Each structure stands twice: as structure tokens, then as C-alpha cells.
Amino acid sequence: MTTTHETATTATAEAETLLEALATQRFFLRHTVRDLTDEQAGRRTTASELCLGGLIKHVTVVENAWMDFVVDGTDTVATGGGNWEEHFRMSAGETLADVLAGYEEAARRTEEIVRGLPDLGVSRPLPEAPWFKPGERWSARRVLIHILAETAQHSGHADIIRESLDGAKTMG
């Protein structure tokens, strides 16, 4: 028979495992922009519109939107919280330090929210959007896995952009 304490311990261990995996992917993304100037962080080096600072802005916006969803079910995840294209660029006057500080704040907030949840299985209905199945619900667990995947995917994009910029790689 499983006790309440064992269930709580398992849930805490699961949350910490997911947060640790997310922290690793965040590290890789942040490491990719090491030693760059603001101009370099905003430079496009491939055929896409992506730049390194913009990728960090994007994952920050996405993470915050999904945590808003976990906390109060907001539909920001369907609307994108504004102009998606602007999330992928560094605007005039933005610095890499500011973008990284925003990302650190999002990470801190996510960790605080997740550690405060009684259960990662708590779910909310997804807002109506063409990319969500009608009536689908996502748990906090599913949201964390999505944020982890999004961060890992964009960390890979960042590695390609950085290598195109100056030959540096995230690893190696």
C-alpha cells in the first residue's frame, strides 16, 4: 500500500527531475550566447529570421505563457501574448544582458510555481486554437515536458546560429 507521504515524495522527485532537465537545457541555451556583444546576439546568420537574443526572448515568452496557463488557465498560449515575430528578434535598445535577465526571472518563476503545486497531474482545458485538439486538457506535467522540448529545440537552433556567427559551438 502506498502512503500519502510516499506519493508526495514521488511527486516531488518527479517535479525536481523535470526541473533539473529543464535547467540543463536552459544552461545549454545560455552557454550558446557566452561572450557575445548585443550586436552579435541580434544578428541573423542563417536564412531564417532567428537570432540568438530573439530565441532567448521567445523561450522566455513561451515559458511565461505556459506558466500563466498552469496558474490560472489563461489563453495566452493560444494567442501568443502578442506579436510572435517580435519574440524572435532583439529590438532596438534591447541588450543581451536584459534578455538573459528576463529568462532567469522566467526560470525562477517556473521553479517556484512547480514546487508549489500539490500534484503535477492537475490539468486545465486548452484554449481553442487550430493547433490544439478540441476539448484537450494539459496537466502541469505535460506543460513542463512541452517547455523542456521547446527549450531543447531552440537550443539546437541557437547552436547552429552561433556556429554560423563565429564558429563557436555550445559543446565541443
Side-chain angles (χ1 to χ4, degrees):
M1 176 151 78
T2 304
T3 66
T4 303
H5 174 70
E6 289 170 329
T7 302
T9 302
T10 301
T12 300
E14 179 187 18
E16 290 304 320
T17 298
L18 289 169
L19 288 173
E20 182 181 324
L22 182 54
T24 299
Q25 293 306 313
R26 285 188 189 117
F27 167 80
F28 289 139
L29 183 56
R30 285 190 314 268
H31 185 67
T32 302
V33 300
R34 70 198 176 283
D35 304 324
L36 291 181
T37 65
D38 296 336
E39 186 274 327
Q40 288 172 312
R43 189 183 307 160
R44 289 178 42 216
T45 63
T46 65
S48 80
E49 290 291 322
L50 302 176
C51 68
L52 293 166
L55 280 172
I56 294 170
K57 280 177 58 177
H58 172 70
V59 294
T60 301
V61 168
V62 167
E63 187 166 325
N64 280 327
W66 279 110
M67 284 296 102
D68 289 345
F69 172 80
V70 167
V71 170
D72 62 17
T74 183
D75 66 356
T76 305
V77 295
T79 64
N83 183 350
W84 277 106
E85 292 171 1
E86 286 302 313
H87 302 165
F88 285 107
R89 295 187 198 115
M90 286 187 58
S91 302
E94 275 186 311
T95 67
L96 181 57
D98 290 340
V99 170
L100 287 168
Y103 192 38
E104 287 297 319
E105 176 58 25
R108 185 205 58 73
R109 178 177 179 248
T110 295
E111 291 168 7
E112 181 180 294
I113 289 168
V114 169
R115 288 185 177 120
L117 293 172
D119 180 1
L120 291 179
V122 174
S123 70
R124 295 190 178 277
L126 288 170
E128 288 186 31
W131 47 87
F132 298 135
K133 293 178 189 171
E136 188 175 10
R137 298 178 68 89
W138 274 19
S139 66
R141 177 183 300 105
R142 178 64 182 89
V143 167
L144 274 175
I145 291 168
H146 178 75
I147 293 170
L148 177 60
E150 177 103 4
T151 304
Q153 177 183 19
H154 289 310
S155 184
H157 293 146
D159 196 33
I160 292 167
I161 293 168
R162 178 64 191 256
E163 190 171 1
S164 296
L165 178 68
D166 64 3
K169 300 176 186 173
T170 301
M171 298 178 69

